[in-house]
């Protein structure tokens, strides 16, 4: 007579801030379904402002393992995650590895799992920008080829996967788990004192976030964007949470109507977005969050891997040309779009 069967074991991997937001509801659901879970933090974002605060804001448990991969070039960081994750995976011997999004940790852990013969699942599969100049696009494409179960946020993501030859049985249209976290935390976020601390009220400012190398590491692109922000701020004061590296690059180059502050946690980020008249960003996650919050968003890139935020939401992709950005921002401030939320982005 054999004993009771052991619960299936899922290793859930988070490497960067957007992963944490998506991991919380997935971990909760796996545990509610009776699975044993192990949470692995790769350390791709490794300082307190970039990860520790997020775990506290999300009520996400302390990771069971921390790989401390740190920063570096794409090759260095991907290799660091792979070499740290491979022996851990052999030790844990799970039934499935769950990865999220499109960061280097996503690709690294999917590749290690595939070579070890461990089933891997990709949450937020099928997103495509069509721009292979974005490292994240390469990560998305390769992770989707490696993973056995592909969980898509939107119908266009399903279409991409099927067009690329994925078997329909491997693709699951499930909606956007980021929305589950946002809706669960929205009231707590809105109660935060971050606006009062900055001397602002809902609706009397805009929000800016910039972090992509194509924007902050390219002097010509950054010059144009800072010029655009300076013009826009004459009509709508701006708040600009910036990583210290970005803050150093913009120091002394913006008027006082653009308030540069340090990085903020998840709840404060939601509060700042929810109260803004307009958000200007190069972040994929913020395109989604502003859509759910009903806040007009201008994406400071030439492409987006989240076209549903444009066709079904409040987002516009405006590129990085100074005149185009300013014109789009002033038009949006004058004629804000009505809030629209995509199907299945419902918190369930």
């Amino acid at each position: 007579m054999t004993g009771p069967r052991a619960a299936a074991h899922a290793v859930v991997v988070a490497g960067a801030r957007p992963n944490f937001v998506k991991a919380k509801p997935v971990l909760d659901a796996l545990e509610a379904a009776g699975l044993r879970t192990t949470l692995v933090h790769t350390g791709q974002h490794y300082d307190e402002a970039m990860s520790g605060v997020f775990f506290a804001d999300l009520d996400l448990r302390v990771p069971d393992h921390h790989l401390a991969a740190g920063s570096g070039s794409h090759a260095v960081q991907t290799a660091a995650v792979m070499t740290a994750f491979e022996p851990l995976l052999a030790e844990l011997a799970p039934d499935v590895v769950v990865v999220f999004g499109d960061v280097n940790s996503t690709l690294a852990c999917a590749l290690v799992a595939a070579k070890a013969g461990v089933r891997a699942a990709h949450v937020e599969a099928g997103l495509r920008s069509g721009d292979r100049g974005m490292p994240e696009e390469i990560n998305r494409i390769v992770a989707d080829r490696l993973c056995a179960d592909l969980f898509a946020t939107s119908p266009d993501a399903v279409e991409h996967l099927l067009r690329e030859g994925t078997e329909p049985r491997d693709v699951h249209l499930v909606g956007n788990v980021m929305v589950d976290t946002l809706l669960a935390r929205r009231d707590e976020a809105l109660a935060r004192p971050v606006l009062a601390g900055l001397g602002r009220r809902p609706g009397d400012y805009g929000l800016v976030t910039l972090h992509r190398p194509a924007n902050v590491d390219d002097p010509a692109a950054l010059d144009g964007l800072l010029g655009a922000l300076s013009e826009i701020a004459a009509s709508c004061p701006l708040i600009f949470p910036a990583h210290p590296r970005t803050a150093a690059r913009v120091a002394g180059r913006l008027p006082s109507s653009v308030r540069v502050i340090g990085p903020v946690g998840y709840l404060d980020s939601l509060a700042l977005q929810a109260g803004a008249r307009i958000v200007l960003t190069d972040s994929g996650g913020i395109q989604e969050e502003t859509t759910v919050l009903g806040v007009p968003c201008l994406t400071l890139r030439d492409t987006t891997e989240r076209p549903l935020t444009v066709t079904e939401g409040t987002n516009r992709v405006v590129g990085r040309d100074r005149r185009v950005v300013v014109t789009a921002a002033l038009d949006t401030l004058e004629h804000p779009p009505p809030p629209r939320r995509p199907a299945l982005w419902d918190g369930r």
Side-chain angles (χ1 to χ4, degrees), residues 42-72:
T42 69
Q44 180 171 335
H45 283 173
Y46 53 94
D47 61 76
E48 181 65 18
M50 296 292 275
S51 62
V53 159
F54 263 56
F55 279 87
D57 281 357
L58 297 170
D59 192 26
L60 191 58
R61 73 179 196 241
V62 173
D64 301 293
H65 300 275
H66 197 300
L67 303 184
S71 59

Side-chain angles (χ1 to χ4, degrees), residues 34-103:
L35 276 75
R36 181 164 62 97
T37 62
T38 298
L39 179 58
V40 176
H41 182 2
T42 69
Q44 180 171 335
H45 283 173
Y46 53 94
D47 61 76
E48 181 65 18
M50 296 292 275
S51 62
V53 159
F54 263 56
F55 279 87
D57 281 357
L58 297 170
D59 192 26
L60 191 58
R61 73 179 196 241
V62 173
D64 301 293
H65 300 275
H66 197 300
L67 303 184
S71 59
S73 71
H74 288 280
V76 167
Q77 190 172 67
T78 303
V81 173
M82 290 181 68
T83 54
F85 187 58
E86 184 180 51
L88 178 62
L89 185 66
E91 173 191 334
L92 296 173
D95 298 285
V96 64
V97 171
V98 184
V99 297
F100 301 85
D102 55 18
V103 297

